[in-house]
């Protein structure tokens, strides 16, 4: 298996992508292609001992910054690392690609270069959230801010397939994020999507509210990208604030410091559960080949987790499963027309 890694994307590039790739090549036994400025990557690689046959470099002299217009930059900056990586993936020179860089540029590259699965109208970002009942999937996490009911149905199909195959969820439950549990609650989008979701080929449990997100009420939580991105950033912020508050509490005085000694294992487990670095990246579900977006502030651990996620994405044949489900859904739609 070969994973294509954008070595120039993210706040800690190229150090984090290179360090994670060296670890992945050694521990996971997979091949890595590091895409970026060759001299820069070679200098970073020189710091490590690694199986030389497993890591190669694809030269890409340019980077798309967060200040550039994504679609325009993807079309005109042919030497940008994310563009070169997407082209390699399309040509079959790797099994999956990963980037921690400009989110918009990765989405544009996924759509314009890698392409969509036949029948998928809009690919969506799917991200794993830590909940009281374990990891659950939020889709869409920011790719599509204006959606139609049919888009939400496809998000539910793709999310259900992903959770079943990658996270071994048996008959994963799917819910629409709304402002009330009742069928008639929600905005125009969720109200129109509800009856379509009831007939879709997945285990639909109805509306779920904001409080249900961290409870883990549904395995797959469906919404448009605007709502999803707000939820994602809120959860990230909450994890940071809670972590800081717990640290302050246990270092307040001698009593709390002593008390911390007795609960430290539990605190470490909680911190690990809330740490985005443990969950890898957000797959762009709906593209013809696996595309994964890593967090912009990813360190080496987060990139390594994303590489592991990419490996599982490929090995469980998620895209083929989505294609089969979408074909079924389209056939059912045509039969009911």
């Amino acid at each position: 298996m070969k994973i294509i890694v954008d070595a120039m994307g993210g706040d800690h590039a190229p150090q984090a992508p290179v360090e994670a790739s060296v670890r992945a090549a050694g521990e996971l036994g997979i091949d890595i292609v590091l895409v970026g400025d060759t001299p820069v990557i070679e200098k970073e690689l020189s710091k490590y001992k690694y199986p030389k046959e497993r890591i190669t470099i694809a030269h890409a002299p340019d980077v798309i910054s967060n200040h550039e217009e994504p679609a325009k930059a993807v079309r005109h900056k042919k030497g940008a690392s994310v563009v070169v990586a997407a082209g390699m993936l399309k040509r079959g020179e790797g099994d999956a690609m990963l980037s921690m860089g400009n989110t918009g540029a990765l989405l544009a590259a996924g759509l314009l270069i890698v392409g969509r699965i036949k029948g998928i109208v809009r690919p969506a970002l799917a991200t794993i959230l830590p909940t009281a009942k374990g990891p659950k999937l939020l889709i869409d996490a920011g790719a599509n801010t204006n959606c139609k009911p049919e888009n939400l149905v496809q998000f539910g199909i793709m999310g259900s397939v992903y959770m079943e195959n990658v996270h071994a969820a048996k008959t994963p439950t799917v819910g629409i994020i709304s402002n009330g549990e009742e069928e008639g609650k929600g905005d125009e989008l969720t109200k129109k999507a509800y009856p379509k979701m009831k007939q879709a080929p997945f285990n639909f449990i109805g509306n779920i509210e904001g409080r249900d997100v961290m409870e883990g009420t549904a395995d797959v939580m469906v919404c448009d990208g605007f709502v999803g991105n707000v939820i994602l950033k809120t959860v990230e912020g909450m994890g940071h604030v809670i972590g800081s508050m717990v640290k302050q509490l246990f270092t307040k005085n001698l009593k709390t410091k002593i008390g911390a000694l007795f609960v430290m294992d539990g605190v470490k487990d909680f911190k690990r559960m809330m740490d985005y670095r443990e969950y890898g990246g957000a797959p762009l579900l709906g593209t013809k080949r696996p595309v994964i977006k890593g967090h912009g502030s990813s360190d080496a651990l987060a990139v390594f987790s994303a590489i592991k996620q990419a490996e599982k994405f490929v090995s469980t044949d998620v895209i083929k499963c989505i294609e089969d489900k979408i074909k079924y859904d389209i056939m059912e739609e045509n039969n009911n027309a």
Side-chain angles (χ1 to χ4, degrees):
M1 185 182 298
K2 183 180 289 185
I3 308 298
I4 303 167
V5 178
D6 175 5
M8 310 308 290
D11 299 340
H12 302 292
Q15 178 270 325
V18 170
E19 182 181 339
S21 296
V22 168
R23 181 182 173 188
E27 293 184 17
L28 305 179
I30 59 177
D31 295 334
I32 301 287
V33 181
L34 289 166
V35 183
D37 191 346
T38 299
V40 173
I41 297 174
E42 286 179 337
K43 182 179 179 180
E44 194 65 34
L45 275 172
S46 68
K47 301 175 183 178
Y48 305 94
K49 290 183 178 180
Y50 61 93
K52 299 290 194 295
E53 71 280 3
R54 290 209 174 276
I55 298 181
T56 56
I57 300 172
H59 185 57
D62 299 324
V63 177
I64 296 176
S65 73
N66 289 327
H67 304 293
E68 296 181 72
E69 199 283 308
K72 183 178 179 181
V74 166
R75 288 190 177 96
H76 296 287
K77 295 184 78 168
K78 303 300 183 183
S81 54
V82 69
V83 174
V84 173
M88 293 177 66
L89 184 65
K90 181 181 181 180
R91 294 190 298 272
E93 297 171 22
D95 299 295
M97 71 169 284
L98 163 67
S99 176
M100 282 61 64
N102 184 313
T103 301
L106 182 67
L107 296 178
L111 287 171
L112 299 175
I113 300 174
V114 181
R116 297 171 295 173
I117 293 172
K118 185 176 181 181
I120 293 292
V121 179
R122 294 186 181 184
L125 278 173
T127 188
I128 291 292
L129 296 182
T131 77
K133 296 178 181 176
K136 305 297 180 183
L137 192 77
L138 175 71
I139 183 171
D140 180 17
N144 305 282
T145 54
N146 294 304
C147 294
K148 296 180 179 180
E150 294 76 12
N151 301 140
L152 298 194
V153 173
Q154 291 195 340
F155 297 168
I157 291 172
M158 294 189 294
S160 180
V161 168
Y162 188 83
M163 286 300 286
E164 185 173 7
N165 288 273
V166 176
H167 289 273
K170 294 183 179 179
T171 318
T173 54
V174 180
I176 306 177
I177 296 176
S178 186
N179 64 338
E181 295 180 356
E182 300 84 359
E183 183 172 346
K185 287 293 183 71
D187 58 9
E188 184 178 358
L189 173 63
T190 54
K191 287 179 182 177
K192 288 183 177 180
Y194 195 105
K196 295 179 181 292
M197 300 283 273
K198 287 170 70 174
Q199 298 177 0
F202 49 69
N203 184 16
F204 182 56
I205 61 170
N207 288 338
I208 58 173
E209 299 181 76
R211 63 187 177 192
D212 295 315
V213 171
M214 296 310 294
E215 288 287 343
T217 302
D219 294 309
V220 180
M221 300 172 284
V222 176
C223 57
D224 64 52
F226 179 84
V227 172
N229 196 254
V230 170
I231 290 174
L232 174 61
K233 297 299 172 59
T234 300
V235 171
E236 289 178 353
M238 182 183 69
H240 176 73
V241 169
I242 291 176
S244 298
M245 291 174 67
V246 170
K247 184 177 180 180
Q248 290 175 12
L249 174 64
F250 285 132
T251 57
K252 187 176 181 181
N253 53 48
L254 181 60
K255 281 186 178 180
T256 59
K257 289 179 181 178
I258 294 173
L261 296 175
F262 295 96
V263 298
M264 192 51 64
D265 287 344
V267 171
K268 288 179 179 178
D269 288 342
F270 175 75
K271 184 178 179 181
R272 191 178 302 111
M273 183 186 77
M274 296 297 294
D275 191 350
Y276 76 88
R277 299 179 304 168
E278 300 286 341
Y279 296 95
L284 180 61
L285 298 181
T287 53
K288 290 180 180 179
R289 300 179 70 83
V291 175
I292 293 178
K293 173 66 177 75
H295 201 289
S297 60
S298 292
D299 60 9
L301 172 59
V303 179
F304 178 71
S305 296
I307 292 173
K308 286 198 300 182
Q309 182 185 25
E311 180 193 32
K312 197 162 187 181
F313 194 147
V314 174
S315 63
T316 52
D317 211 6
V318 170
I319 290 180
K320 176 64 166 58
C321 294
I322 290 175
E323 289 173 339
D324 291 342
K325 272 286 180 70
I326 291 297
K327 286 177 185 176
Y328 170 82
D329 187 52
I330 292 173
M331 288 172 61
E332 284 293 299
E333 209 172 83
N334 291 336
N335 291 335
N336 294 329

